[in-house]
Amino acid sequence: MNKKLVFLVFLLFFVFIQSKALSQEILTKKEAVKSVLDNNYGIKIAENNVEIAENNKGILNSGYLPTLTTNMGWDFSLQDRLAEIDGRDPLDQNDLETQRYNANLDLNYTLFDGMGRIYNYEQLKLQYNLSQLEARETIENTLIQMFSVYYELARRLKNVEVLENTLTLSKERLQRVEYQFDYGQINKLAVLNAEVDVANDSINLIDEQQNLVNTKRDLLVVINEELTEKFVVDTTVTFTPLLQIEQFIEEAEQNNVSVQIIEENLLISDYDKKLSFTGYLPRLDLFGSYGWNRNISPESPFFPGSTQTTKGYSAGVSLSWNLFDGGQTSVRIQNAKVAYESQQIQKELIKQNVNRDIKNAFENYKNRLYIYKLQKKNVTTNKNNFDRTQEQFNIGQVNSVEFRQAQLNLLNAQTSYNLAKYDAKLAEVQLLQLTGQLLNTEF
């Protein structure tokens, strides 16, 4: 009979745990990343900019194709005419109609424009590459924002668990001291102290639960996803091996997105210099046309009415060369050279800042990892201390004040451990971004 009762209790407990787990939707890191990439407004705007740049770099925007235009027209006039000729009677003509029809097809093609088309076309390709890098930068910054909120939410979840356990222990302690007071083993002060501790723990739990709900809303804004407030996140954390991190740092200069962006801007500035020189070169254009015209004229005192139709082809080549433009081309060349030099200086500055940021981030990451390991050990120590204190409290060898102090020490150690763990992981994520490996890492 006892075995059946134990089995029934275990079964009910298992069903309760499973139903509670099913009621909470777990948002994994992979799902959160996917939601950000699919739904975040800033990323959508960046992707649209890439699409625009892709359209601009196509052959249809290159200037290499000819232009073909057509024009058509029709003119109509209705007039009265009085012709007075010496030696003849006046000739009065009314409702004289004149009609003109015309249509033409024009073809124009630039044979040579001083290499301007070539440089523009290459520059548009570089602009497309730049837009991709800028989109990647937006994605990385958004992911950093998302992970900051995600790990903050994970920390809040673990803190709520800790505070719930603390409140449970405080309630058990209150119940115990109430029994002891009823049997005259302790005075009323111990009961009052236990009641105060339960109230304080309840308040702390309520505050942390509210912070948890607020953080959930922050995360939903970043990922732009419709989820119920019952969802939770994956609180597990795995760290990238330190040797792999060091390898990422060695390759950071080639992979960092800020360095890649300035290098792309440097190439674009180089084409600006080349484009400036095209002002010294001639332009050669080819044109061709086909035209059709018809004129319907009324009769005049000297000529009968007539209808004239003409059609034909025309073609030609035009050469234009701006021999002197008042020095504007020279100024553009000088400014383009100065702008290119500024881009080179900017590149060195960015590389310097990136190297500094990586060193700082790496040192911060190592310190966070060390603190995390210390806090983990500290939790174990305080847990052992609390377990022994609880055993002694149960047999009356430790008073309520000592029990409460051990409980608070364990609470502080656990919350500090949670903070250290997610701070270390966030420091790793920031380091991965600086080394250009954030989008290449599985979370």
Side-chain angles (χ1 to χ4, degrees):
M1 186 67 180
N2 291 335
K3 292 183 178 180
K4 291 182 178 180
L5 181 60
V6 171
F7 177 76
L8 180 61
V9 171
F10 175 79
L11 180 62
L12 291 175
F13 177 76
F14 178 78
V15 171
F16 172 75
I17 294 297
Q18 289 296 317
S19 62
K20 184 177 181 181
L22 291 175
S23 66
Q24 292 182 324
E25 180 182 358
I26 299 179
L27 178 67
T28 65
K29 303 178 188 70
K30 188 175 181 179
E31 291 172 342
V33 170
K34 185 178 184 304
S35 296
V36 167
L37 297 179
D38 292 342
N39 304 323
N40 184 268
Y41 292 129
I43 292 178
K44 287 184 177 181
I45 293 174
E47 289 174 345
N48 287 339
N49 292 335
V50 173
E51 185 175 353
I52 291 173
E54 185 177 10
N55 293 335
N56 288 338
K57 77 178 183 69
I59 190 67
L60 297 179
N61 193 47
S62 65
Y64 278 106
L65 299 179
T67 60
L68 186 64
T69 59
T70 182
N71 294 295
M72 292 177 285
W74 173 63
D75 292 337
F76 173 82
S77 64
L78 183 65
Q79 298 177 338
D80 296 333
R81 180 193 296 160
L82 177 62
E84 297 179 343
I85 304 172
D86 294 340
R88 297 175 58 180
D89 293 334
L91 180 61
D92 189 8
Q93 296 175 304
N94 296 319
D95 299 331
L96 298 177
E97 291 185 2
T98 301
Q99 298 185 54
R100 297 183 180 88
Y101 302 87
N102 67 85
N104 62 288
L105 191 65
D106 298 319
L107 177 68
N108 293 278
Y109 183 70
T110 300
L111 297 174
F112 180 74
D113 66 345
M115 305 293 290
R117 283 181 306 181
I118 297 176
Y119 298 149
N120 276 322
Y121 189 45
E122 294 300 322
Q123 201 173 51
L124 288 172
K125 293 179 181 178
L126 294 175
Q127 290 286 356
Y128 171 69
N129 297 337
L130 178 62
S131 69
Q132 288 184 311
L133 291 173
E134 290 173 342
R136 174 189 157 190
E137 184 178 41
T138 300
I139 292 173
E140 288 183 356
N141 291 334
T142 306
L143 287 178
I144 288 293
Q145 181 186 5
M146 187 276 292
F147 278 120
S148 298
V149 182
Y150 189 95
Y151 288 129
E152 175 65 10
L153 179 55
R155 184 178 75 88
R156 297 288 184 185
L157 283 169
K158 299 301 291 185
N159 283 352
V160 167
E161 291 180 7
V162 171
L163 290 171
E164 286 176 342
N165 184 59
T166 300
L167 180 59
T168 299
L169 292 173
S170 295
K171 289 180 177 179
E172 292 176 354
R173 171 192 159 206
L174 175 61
Q175 187 178 29
R176 182 177 182 83
V177 296
E178 285 177 340
Y179 289 152
Q180 291 176 334
F181 176 74
D182 291 339
Y183 288 99
Q185 297 177 355
I186 59 174
N187 56 26
K188 186 63 176 178
L189 181 61
V191 177
L192 294 176
N193 288 335
E195 289 177 350
V196 170
D197 292 338
V198 169
N200 290 332
D201 292 342
S202 299
I203 293 172
N204 293 336
L205 177 59
I206 292 172
D207 288 340
E208 191 64 15
Q209 287 174 335
Q210 183 59 54
N211 292 332
L212 176 65
V213 173
N214 294 341
T215 309
K216 284 184 178 182
R217 296 193 185 106
D218 292 339
L219 182 60
L220 291 178
V221 169
V222 177
I223 66 177
N224 192 22
E225 192 75 63
E226 292 292 336
L227 297 174
T228 64
E229 291 189 356
K230 293 183 179 180
F231 84 95
V232 295
V233 296
D234 183 9
T235 58
T236 59
V237 167
T238 57
F239 293 96
T240 305
L242 197 59
L243 288 176
Q244 190 173 2
I245 291 290
E246 292 174 348
Q247 182 180 355
F248 290 160
I249 292 175
E250 293 177 359
E251 303 170 353
E253 190 170 305
Q254 293 79 29
N255 297 322
N256 180 273
V257 67
S258 297
V259 175
Q260 291 181 346
I261 285 176
I262 191 60
E263 288 177 347
E264 206 70 25
N265 279 321
L266 198 59
L267 294 174
I268 293 173
S269 294
D270 186 51
Y271 276 106
D272 284 335
K273 288 196 306 179
K274 296 177 180 179
L275 281 169
S276 302
F277 280 97
T278 61
Y280 287 136
L281 300 177
R283 180 186 181 93
L284 185 63
D285 292 304
L286 173 67
F287 63 88
S289 177
Y290 172 78
W292 176 86
N293 293 275
R294 170 171 288 184
N295 294 327
I296 302 176
S297 303
E299 64 176 346
S300 68
F302 301 102
F303 299 99
S306 64
T307 298
Q308 296 181 356
T309 302
T310 60
K311 59 183 178 179
Y313 301 90
S314 63
V317 178
S318 67
L319 175 67
S320 61
W321 199 340
N322 192 352
L323 299 178
F324 182 69
D325 62 355
Q328 295 180 5
T329 299
S330 177
V331 172
R332 284 195 297 269
I333 292 173
Q334 295 174 18
N335 290 340
K337 289 180 178 179
V338 174
Y340 182 78
E341 293 175 359
S342 296
Q343 291 284 355
Q344 287 181 313
I345 296 173
Q346 184 72 13
K347 177 182 176 180
E348 296 303 318
L349 177 61
I350 288 177
K351 288 170 62 177
Q352 185 183 63
N353 290 337
V354 167
N355 289 332
R356 177 206 60 196
D357 293 342
I358 289 176
K359 291 178 181 178
N360 291 342
F362 187 47
E363 290 299 322
N364 179 61
Y365 174 58
K366 290 190 293 185
N367 289 337
R368 295 294 178 184
L369 274 180
Y370 181 70
I371 293 173
Y372 160 68
K373 293 175 182 178
L374 288 180
Q375 292 291 0
K376 187 176 182 180
K377 182 178 180 180
N378 191 35
V379 168
T380 302
T381 302
N382 279 276
K383 183 68 170 62
N384 293 333
N385 177 65
F386 174 77
D387 290 340
R388 292 181 181 181
T389 303
Q390 188 177 31
E391 292 175 0
Q392 294 177 351
F393 176 74
N394 292 335
I395 60 178
Q397 294 182 355
V398 171
N399 59 34
S400 295
V401 175
E402 293 172 321
F403 175 84
R404 179 61 176 176
Q405 187 60 50
Q407 185 185 25
L408 291 178
N409 290 340
L410 177 60
L411 171 64
N412 293 332
Q414 289 173 326
T415 54
S416 297
Y417 166 73
N418 292 335
L419 178 62
K421 178 171 65 173
Y422 296 112
D423 276 354
K425 185 59 182 178
L426 188 58
E428 178 190 292
V429 172
Q430 293 169 342
L431 182 57
L432 289 173
Q433 181 195 20
L434 288 171
T435 57
Q437 299 294 336
L438 181 61
L439 301 182
N440 302 325
T441 304
E442 292 287 339
F443 292 95

